[in-house]
């Protein structure tokens, strides 16, 4: 396979053209088919990548580790608490050294105000692609898998009503990177995107502006509402998920009075009944069951969360195969 995007950083899908994203999706589909039919895919034989994690992960870590092994290479998992980063070593020195040892560096760093800056600083100094495994603004690996899943279910995405809906959760103060990535990406595929959240859970204004621009240029639309019923009404896809009030409040406290006042923002069967009869329920996972969503919805006939999670493997492999080959 020709690594068309050799050496290219993958920090936000907004910096990748639609044509390039389509190519990544085409490769993802091919890799999925080959995985399911046991066809070997040795596109990164003897290549190595370093996976730097400041935070926990199940899907992202394992899609990258097993994905690179399936491509013929090896991924080294690095927990930052055991790296010299914990003693203050710089992003520059980390990137220079690790890029001299291998063929790719991937990183998850969601700390508000620090994560994306850290990745950008590594990208300035790395001689190999930097892959974003989620930062404070973007989660492009998740966005790509979400888009692949939506296209599997709805091959024509034009004017699909896709509602990205804030939901109540208490597990941790989650980054805004999943909904932010989705509002930027989906309008580029002509979807009619509704973002619904209660007062205080805004995303950054610059993201709204970019989402509106993406919609205008590609025939989609972008609407903001504070009415959860409006978001569920006639939706083809609902993505109810919690995110933190980071834009307005940088405290790391998980539960506060504002959060507790919005317990009613939950994906229930009653809310699902407002949507299109064929509505699909998506969630990047992990879900805060019982708070964000009722079990009967996430485990019910409308849910495609496991297909969405499975596609993380195939899309991660596509990004690695297309950026890390032939150093
Ligand atoms: N969706 C997602 O990124 O999952 P993990 O946090 O388990 O990697």
């Amino acid at each position: 396979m020709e690594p068309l995007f050799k050496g290219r950083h993958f920090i936000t899908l907004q910096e990748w053209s639609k044509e390039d994203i389509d190519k990544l999706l085409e490769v993802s589909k091919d890799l999925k088919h080959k995985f399911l039919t046991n066809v070997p895919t040795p596109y990164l034989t003897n290549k190595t990548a370093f996976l730097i994690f400041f935070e926990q992960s199940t899907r992202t870590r394992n899609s990258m580790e097993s994905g690179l092994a399936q491509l013929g290479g090896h991924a080294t998992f690095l927990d930052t608490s055991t790296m010299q980063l914990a003693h203050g070593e710089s992003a520059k020195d980390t990137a220079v050294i690790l890029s001299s040892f291998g063929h790719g560096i991937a990183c998850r760093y969601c700390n508000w105000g620090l994560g994306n800056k850290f990745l950008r600083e590594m990208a300035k100094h790395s001689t190999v692609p930097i892959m974003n495994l989620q930062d404070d603004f973007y989660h492009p690996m998740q966005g790509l898998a979400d888009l692949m899943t939506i296209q599997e279910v709805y091959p024509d995405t034009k004017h699909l009503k896709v509602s990205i809906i804030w939901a109540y959760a208490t597990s941790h103060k989650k980054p805004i990177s999943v909904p932010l990535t989705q509002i930027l990406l989906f309008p580029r595929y002509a979807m009619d995107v509704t973002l619904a959240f209660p007062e205080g859970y805004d995303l950054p204004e610059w993201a709204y502006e970019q989402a509106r621009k993406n919609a205008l240029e590609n025939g989609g639309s972008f609407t903001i509402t504070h009415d959860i019923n409006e978001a569920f009404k006639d939706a083809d896809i609902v993505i109810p998920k919690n995110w933190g009030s980071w834009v307005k409040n940088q405290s790391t406290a998980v539960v506060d009075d504002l959060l507790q006042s919005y317990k009613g923002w939950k994906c229930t069967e009653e809310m699902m009944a407002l949507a299109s009869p064929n509505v699909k329920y998506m969630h990047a996972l992990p879900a805060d069951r019982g708070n964000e969503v009722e079990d009967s919805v996430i485990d019910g006939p409308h849910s495609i969360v496991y297909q969405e999670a499975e596609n993380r493997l195939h899309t991660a492999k596509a990004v690695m195969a297309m950026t890390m080959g032939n150093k």
Side-chain angles (χ1 to χ4, degrees), residues 56-60 108 139 142 284-286 312:
Q56 300 87 340
S57 167
T58 296
R59 281 143 290 271
T60 307
R108 167 171 286 190
H139 196 351
Q142 184 66 52
L285 302 180
R312 291 294 309 274

Side-chain angles (χ1 to χ4, degrees), residues 244-256:
S245 54
W246 293 108
V247 171
K248 296 245 159 124
N249 173 12
Q250 286 80 52
S251 157
T252 53
V254 178
V255 177
D256 57 20

Side-chain angles (χ1 to χ4, degrees), residues 241-306:
K241 187 197 174 303
N242 178 258
W243 62 85
S245 54
W246 293 108
V247 171
K248 296 245 159 124
N249 173 12
Q250 286 80 52
S251 157
T252 53
V254 178
V255 177
D256 57 20
D257 290 345
L258 183 73
L259 178 73
Q260 292 302 73
S261 66
Y262 296 127
K263 275 188 178 172
W265 283 68
K266 179 176 184 172
C267 183
T268 62
E269 291 205 54
E270 200 183 333
M271 299 308 297
M272 292 292 281
L274 300 175
S276 153
N278 292 321
V279 64
K280 302 298 176 207
Y281 167 87
M282 296 178 70
H283 193 298
L285 302 180
D288 191 341
R289 285 169 174 260
N291 282 327
E292 287 180 295
V293 59
E294 288 177 343
D295 282 346
S296 57
V297 173
I298 193 169
D299 296 326
H302 299 286
S303 177
I304 54 171
V305 294
Y306 297 133

Side-chain angles (χ1 to χ4, degrees), residues 159-160 183 186-187 190-194 211-212 215-216 219-223:
H159 294 313
L160 276 182
I183 67 164
F186 297 165
M191 297 180 212
D192 291 329
V193 174
T194 296
R212 284 188 198 107
L216 197 65
S221 65
F222 176 63
T223 307

